[in-house]
Amino acid sequence: QSALTQPASVSGSPGQSITISCTGTSNDVGGYHYVSWYQQHPGKAPKLMIFDVNNRPSGVSNRFSGSKSGNTASLTISGLQAEDEADYYCGSYTRSNTLVFGGGTKLTVL
Amino acid sequence: QVQLVQSGAEVKKPGASVKVSCKASGYTFSNFYIHWVRQAPGQGLEWMGIINPSGDRTRYAQKLQGRFTMTWDTSTSTVDMELSSLISEDTAVYYCARDYGSVTYYMDVWGKGTTVTVSS
């Protein structure tokens, strides 16, 4: 199972919006509604930010939103804040009853 | 509070095995599956496997099949993982994480991670 494809880095200024893409295949992202996004600050464990493509766990800011079209899922962060600077990973359930992550995207808040 | 507490860092030689423990507290242990995820230095997340609350159903990443084993101990609220025939590429931080619901493949509670170093 190959990792999902994410851009290595994205950046934005405070207050702006950014979008991170996550491309898979019909065997994972395109075939199921089970896409998630995780935020990871340096030296810390990942934190679940989005599940089921576009749902937020309790406590996650509504500045974070998700979507999917075909084999590509996206995470949008609006009203960028300094604390959003982190690595972001997408994840998807697969046809093999496993989970596959994306390679990760480093978000820099300028 | 809900937490997963992992065992301490390990240093192993190539070819050896390593066992990492993950002890749950603050919730009903038998109601949630547990995942294992690892992260090599400077690299991304890699899903390793999932185990059900009674420990009789597991699913492993194909890449690790045959070398990776998960076990469940309800009496101590602990899940263990063992990785055998270690190679340098197994050097990573290993995380246990609780499944968000009833086998959702989302992870809402994570341990702090256990560093495993494989070096001769």
Side-chain angles (χ1 to χ4, degrees), chain A residues 34-36 38 40 44-46 48 51-52 89 96-99 101, chain B residues 37 39 43-47 59-60 95 100 105-108 110-111:
Chain A
Y34 306 133
V35 174
S36 53
Y38 296 85
Q40 186 181 35
K44 301 294 188 182
L48 179 65
F51 67 95
D52 284 352
Y89 295 90
S96 304
N97 297 321
T98 61
L99 176 70
F101 285 108
Chain B
V37 174
Q39 187 171 34
Q43 303 300 309
L45 302 174
E46 179 185 9
W47 182 81
R59 173 69 67 171
Y60 296 102
Y95 294 100
Y100 188 44
Y105 281 79
Y106 307 132
M107 290 152 268
D108 66 336
W110 293 67

Side-chain angles (χ1 to χ4, degrees), chain B residues 3-6 22-24 27 34 96-98 109-112:
Chain B
Q3 61 179 352
L4 298 172
V5 178
Q6 298 185 222
C22 172
K23 184 174 176 61
Y27 71 95
I34 292 288
C96 61
R98 188 183 77 168
V109 179
W110 293 67
K112 291 189 185 311

Side-chain angles (χ1 to χ4, degrees), chain B residues 2 5 12 31 37 40 50 61 72 74 97 100-101 106 108 112 118:
Chain B
V2 176
V5 178
K12 296 291 182 181
N31 284 358
V37 174
I50 183 173
W72 189 285
T74 300
Y100 188 44
Y106 307 132
D108 66 336
K112 291 189 185 311
V118 182

Side-chain angles (χ1 to χ4, degrees), chain B residues 10 22 27 44 48-49 57 62 78-79 81 88 94 102:
Chain B
E10 303 269 7
C22 172
Y27 71 95
M48 300 177 68
R57 283 180 14 215
Q62 186 174 12
T78 299
V79 176
M81 64 134 271
S88 58
Y94 288 75
S102 180

Side-chain angles (χ1 to χ4, degrees), chain B residues 34-120:
Chain B
I34 292 288
H35 299 261
W36 287 91
V37 174
R38 70 180 180 178
Q39 187 171 34
Q43 303 300 309
L45 302 174
E46 179 185 9
W47 182 81
M48 300 177 68
I50 183 173
I51 184 169
N52 75 324
S54 54
D56 59 353
R57 283 180 14 215
T58 55
R59 173 69 67 171
Y60 296 102
Q62 186 174 12
K63 174 182 175 182
L64 297 172
Q65 291 260 4
R67 289 205 300 135
F68 179 54
T69 305
M70 295 175 288
T71 54
W72 189 285
D73 188 341
T74 300
S75 66
T76 59
S77 298
T78 299
V79 176
D80 293 336
M81 64 134 271
E82 185 168 15
L83 189 61
S84 62
S85 303
L86 290 169
I87 58 177
S88 58
E89 288 79 8
D90 292 321
T91 294
V93 176
Y94 288 75
Y95 294 100
C96 61
R98 188 183 77 168
D99 193 271
Y100 188 44
S102 180
V103 203
T104 64
Y105 281 79
Y106 307 132
M107 290 152 268
D108 66 336
V109 179
W110 293 67
K112 291 189 185 311
T114 296
T115 299
V116 174
T117 303
V118 182
S119 174
S120 55

Side-chain angles (χ1 to χ4, degrees), chain A residues 37-61:
Chain A
W37 290 90
Y38 296 85
Q39 175 192 66
Q40 186 181 35
H41 287 107
K44 301 294 188 182
K47 175 185 176 182
L48 179 65
M49 305 300 285
I50 295 286
F51 67 95
D52 284 352
V53 175
N54 57 10
N55 286 292
R56 287 184 304 277
S58 174
V60 172
S61 171

